[in-house]
Amino acid sequence: MLTQLTIKNYALIDELQVSFNNGLTIITGETGAGKSILLGGLSLILGKRADLASVKDATKKCVIEGVFDVAKYNLKALFKAQDLDYESLTIIRREILPSGKSRAFINDTPVRLDDLQVLGEHLLDIHSQHQTLQLTNDDFQFQIIDALANNDENLSRYISELKTVKSLTSEIEKLQNQKTESLKELDYNLFLLKELVEAKLVVGELETLEAEYETLNNIEEIKDKLSLSHQLLSNDDVGIAANLRQVKQQLSKLVNYGTQYQNIYSRIDSSLIEIDDIFSEIENLEDQLEADPNRLDVVNTKLQTLHGLMQKHVVSTIEELIAIREELATKVSVTENLDAHILEKEKEYEQLKTKLLAISKTIHTNRSKVIPKLIKQLESILETLGMPNAKFKIELKTSKSFLSNGTDELQFLLSANKGGQFNDLKKSASGGELSRIMLAIKYILSNYTQLPTIMFDEIDTGVSGEISNKMASIMQDMCKAMQVFTITHLPQIAAKGDHHFKVYKEDINEVTQTQLKKLAPEERIVEIAQMLGGVNVSNSALEHAKQLLN
């Protein structure tokens, strides 16, 4: 409930702080006194967008702050979901800075307007002519039925499962789109994969083949050079090996003459050993060399294949070709397995659909059971509110689609006059009738769920004194479970309040300001007397006011 309201520098209000209590709170005042200003301030702390034009002094900060006792509202989960500190006395504050920037706070934590609106819906319900149109809204009509049907838990389960179903439906759709696109590429990917598989790629093979190709392609030249090298090494007269042996023989005679001769001898000996080894290697290479045109063709063909593949895939190594082959193999495998994956997801979808249908059937059954009871209560209350011929028909039809709150389609039909036809609410009821229907619905709902603080804004417009008494009695009854405010021009309703505030204007230092004052018992008598007979209060009006208050 709203326990305190502070308004600073807003519209015609310089500074105002007022405390409120449980029960039925009456707000009265002459037309133009500033009741709409009060509602405007409350709307700001409920998340309405701010307007710099509503600031009284544009050079100063405007502040609207409301303190709410939320202990009975079961809002801990909501606070946690919004990452807010839960306090049983929650403070909501809006600030409009001179720059025009607006800020919002919940328990001193900065929040977005969206967060403020979500919380505000659970704290304060301003019932205006505009909100009466909510009656014709399907979502609101479902809220009425489901509150009576105690469908909260079933709806939570349904919404959770529906979210999963929607997610799964989206996943299946993506897989099917992926399959369509993949099938377009499948043949080409298979062709590319076949090429790479048939190439029998081996890491390091390119370098080996290139070396073998160079050897086979230049074998005659290689043979000639090896043969000449063999001769230069092995010739008995002028061969390198023979000459080195002679040098070695001569130096062997000097080794005892000093270390310098021993060193040079050792080097010649090592060189001779290396030359003999080279000679043997050349002989081996000569023996292995053999022209092989067929092998040359095979090597050349393989090299052309590899270079062609590297050029096609714009790479420079066998390793990169192997990576592309593995990637193509994965793509082909995924495409070929998509059908099985889609089938698996579709089976999962059917299972969830069955579960969702069962929950929606329970929701439908619960709704169907309470509709006759709701109709009976509505018609009974409306009879006391001056609509004795009002008859309701509430149609609940099952849809083939999964809707946001079940599989039902709902329609509220009203016949406002005797013998009249049933039509949609917006076509059947006037604004005043819609207001009375809304009051009846709010009253019924207050018996089934914890409603937020409600503020009726001149719901009694155009209503007779007798019916206004009935309205006031309904509001009094609602106060047993919730806090109720009503802005009224009718003395019959004003007299039924537990608390009475008056909105008025006064000039302070030649500046008009709006004030809100809680009336003492004697002041209340005068206010109601003025509502009965005008500014000049007569004794009869005062007596009548006392009777109403009693």
Side-chain angles (χ1 to χ4, degrees):
M1 72 174 215
L2 177 63
T3 62
Q4 186 172 291
L5 178 65
T6 302
I7 300 177
K8 295 179 181 178
N9 193 33
Y10 178 73
L12 295 178
I13 296 175
D14 185 32
E15 184 168 352
L16 173 71
Q17 186 175 69
V18 60
S19 298
F20 299 108
N21 300 102
N22 260 327
L24 177 59
T25 297
I26 303 297
I27 298 175
T28 59
E30 294 180 7
T31 300
K35 297 186 291 296
S36 61
I37 295 174
L38 184 64
L39 292 176
L42 286 169
S43 296
L44 282 174
I45 60 175
L46 296 180
K48 183 183 175 183
R49 297 213 167 268
D51 182 1
L52 188 59
S54 62
V55 176
K56 187 173 189 291
D57 183 346
T59 65
K60 297 178 182 179
K61 181 169 66 173
C62 167
V63 179
I64 296 96
E65 183 177 278
V67 182
F68 294 85
D69 184 347
V70 300
K72 296 180 181 179
Y73 290 170
N74 297 318
L75 294 178
K76 288 183 179 179
L78 178 62
F79 274 75
K80 185 176 181 181
Q82 291 186 291
D83 198 23
L84 294 170
D85 293 330
Y86 174 81
E87 299 288 346
S88 58
L89 278 181
T90 284
I91 301 172
I92 297 179
R93 185 170 76 257
R94 281 295 296 279
E95 296 178 355
I96 306 173
L97 305 180
S99 63
K101 183 179 179 182
S102 167
R103 300 188 300 184
F105 301 86
I106 297 175
N107 293 330
D108 287 328
T109 300
V111 295
R112 300 173 304 166
L113 287 189
D114 290 348
D115 298 325
L116 209 58
Q117 289 166 2
V118 170
L119 180 59
E121 289 176 0
H122 295 82
L123 301 181
L124 184 60
D125 176 7
I126 297 178
H127 176 89
S128 61
Q129 187 70 25
H130 171 71
Q131 198 228 26
T132 298
L133 296 176
Q134 206 178 22
L135 264 175
T136 62
N137 179 278
D138 287 349
D139 288 341
F140 183 71
Q141 292 174 358
F142 271 116
Q143 288 173 25
I144 300 165
I145 300 290
D146 287 323
L148 272 65
N150 196 23
N151 262 336
D152 283 354
E153 187 176 338
N154 292 318
L155 284 169
S156 294
R157 286 172 54 215
Y158 176 87
I159 291 167
S160 175
E161 294 294 341
L162 181 63
K163 185 178 179 182
T164 306
V165 165
K166 285 183 176 180
S167 175
L168 193 56
T169 302
S170 177
E171 189 178 351
I172 291 170
E173 187 177 335
K174 285 180 182 177
L175 286 171
Q176 287 171 336
N177 290 337
Q178 184 183 344
K179 177 185 172 183
T180 301
E181 292 302 315
S182 297
L183 286 174
K184 293 177 184 177
E185 301 176 358
L186 180 61
D187 288 342
Y188 183 58
N189 286 340
L190 281 170
F191 170 74
L192 293 178
L193 180 61
K194 184 181 179 184
E195 278 188 327
L196 292 171
V197 170
E198 289 178 347
K200 297 180 180 177
L201 303 172
V202 178
V203 175
E205 181 183 30
L206 182 63
E207 294 78 5
T208 303
L209 288 171
E210 286 176 339
E212 186 179 1
Y213 174 80
E214 291 301 322
T215 297
L216 291 170
N217 196 43
N218 299 284
I219 195 163
E220 294 302 326
E221 183 183 357
I222 294 170
K223 277 186 174 183
D224 288 344
K225 301 303 180 186
L226 286 175
S227 177
L228 179 59
S229 299
H230 185 275
Q231 290 175 16
L232 289 172
L233 284 171
S234 63
N235 189 286
D236 290 339
D237 297 326
V238 294
I240 294 172
N243 287 330
L244 277 176
R245 286 190 181 91
Q246 288 184 21
V247 173
K248 178 183 176 183
Q249 185 180 3
Q250 295 303 318
L251 291 174
S252 68
K253 298 174 182 178
L254 303 175
V255 294
N256 294 325
Y257 295 159
T259 55
Q260 65 271 33
Y261 305 112
Q262 177 66 49
N263 288 338
I264 197 71
Y265 173 80
S266 297
R267 290 172 65 189
I268 287 293
D269 186 49
S270 297
S271 298
L272 187 57
I273 291 170
E274 181 67 18
I275 289 296
D276 286 339
D277 189 57
I278 291 170
F279 178 77
S280 297
E281 186 68 24
I282 290 173
E283 279 189 323
N284 288 335
L285 289 172
E286 278 189 293
D287 291 341
Q288 292 170 10
L289 280 178
E290 184 177 349
D292 190 346
N294 292 331
R295 177 61 184 167
L296 180 60
D297 285 343
V298 170
V299 172
N300 186 43
T301 301
K302 185 64 180 287
L303 282 172
Q304 287 179 346
T305 299
L306 293 177
H307 285 299
L309 289 171
M310 286 190 289
Q311 186 176 9
K312 177 184 282 189
H313 294 284
V314 196
V315 296
S316 57
T317 65
I318 296 292
E319 287 85 349
E320 289 174 298
L321 281 179
I322 290 172
I324 291 171
R325 182 189 67 193
E326 298 307 316
E327 185 181 342
L328 285 168
T330 300
K331 283 184 178 180
V332 169
S333 175
V334 168
T335 302
E336 291 174 341
N337 291 322
L338 270 176
D339 281 335
H341 193 34
I342 290 171
L343 183 62
E344 180 185 339
K345 291 295 178 183
E346 286 176 341
K347 285 181 180 177
E348 188 179 344
Y349 170 81
E350 289 301 324
Q351 290 172 351
L352 282 171
K353 182 180 174 182
T354 301
K355 189 175 180 181
L356 201 56
L357 281 170
I359 299 171
S360 65
K361 187 176 180 180
T362 301
I363 292 171
H364 174 83
T365 301
N366 291 346
R367 287 169 174 168
S368 299
K369 287 178 181 177
V370 300
I371 284 175
K373 183 178 180 181
L374 174 61
I375 290 173
K376 184 177 180 181
Q377 288 180 297
L378 273 175
E379 291 176 352
S380 174
I381 295 169
L382 290 174
E383 184 175 0
T384 67
L385 294 177
M387 294 177 66
N389 298 316
K391 298 296 177 186
F392 275 90
K393 184 188 289 184
I394 300 175
E395 295 182 346
L396 193 67
K397 297 178 181 178
T398 303
S399 166
K400 292 182 179 179
S401 303
F402 289 119
L403 306 174
S404 62
N405 58 0
T407 52
D408 293 329
E409 293 177 347
L410 182 66
Q411 190 174 23
F412 270 55
L413 302 173
L414 171 70
S415 172
N417 302 304
K418 208 166 195 176
Q421 294 200 347
F422 284 96
N423 282 308
D424 194 78
L425 268 180
K426 67 180 79 173
K427 297 177 182 177
S428 302
S430 65
E433 287 171 333
L434 282 174
S435 291
R436 280 177 271 178
I437 294 169
M438 180 63 99
L439 175 60
I441 284 172
K442 295 284 186 180
Y443 170 68
I444 293 168
L445 285 175
S446 69
N447 294 314
Y448 291 90
T449 185
Q450 179 63 59
L451 292 179
T453 292
I454 190 167
M455 181 170 284
F456 291 110
D457 180 16
E458 299 184 357
I459 194 173
D460 49 29
T461 300
V463 171
S464 68
E466 182 183 351
I467 293 173
S468 66
N469 271 322
K470 301 291 185 182
M471 278 189 165
S473 296
I474 288 173
M475 291 179 194
Q476 281 184 314
D477 209 5
M478 290 174 71
C479 288
K480 295 174 183 176
M482 59 189 293
Q483 184 186 38
V484 179
F485 290 81
T486 183
I487 297 173
T488 183
H489 288 293
L490 294 181
Q492 292 87 348
I493 290 180
K496 293 286 182 77
D498 299 303
H499 320 283
H500 192 153
F501 288 82
K502 180 177 180 177
V503 180
Y504 62 97
K505 287 180 182 177
E506 67 176 350
D507 294 335
I508 301 175
N509 298 325
E510 297 186 353
V511 177
T512 301
Q513 294 189 24
T514 290
Q515 304 285 355
L516 180 66
K517 177 185 180 182
K518 186 173 184 179
L519 299 180
E522 290 302 318
E523 292 173 316
R524 194 173 179 191
I525 293 170
V526 174
E527 174 69 9
I528 293 174
Q530 288 179 337
M531 294 173 74
L532 285 164
V535 177
N536 298 318
V537 179
S538 65
N539 288 330
S540 61
L542 287 171
E543 288 303 316
H544 191 183
K546 290 177 183 178
Q547 288 175 3
L548 287 175
L549 285 166
N550 289 330

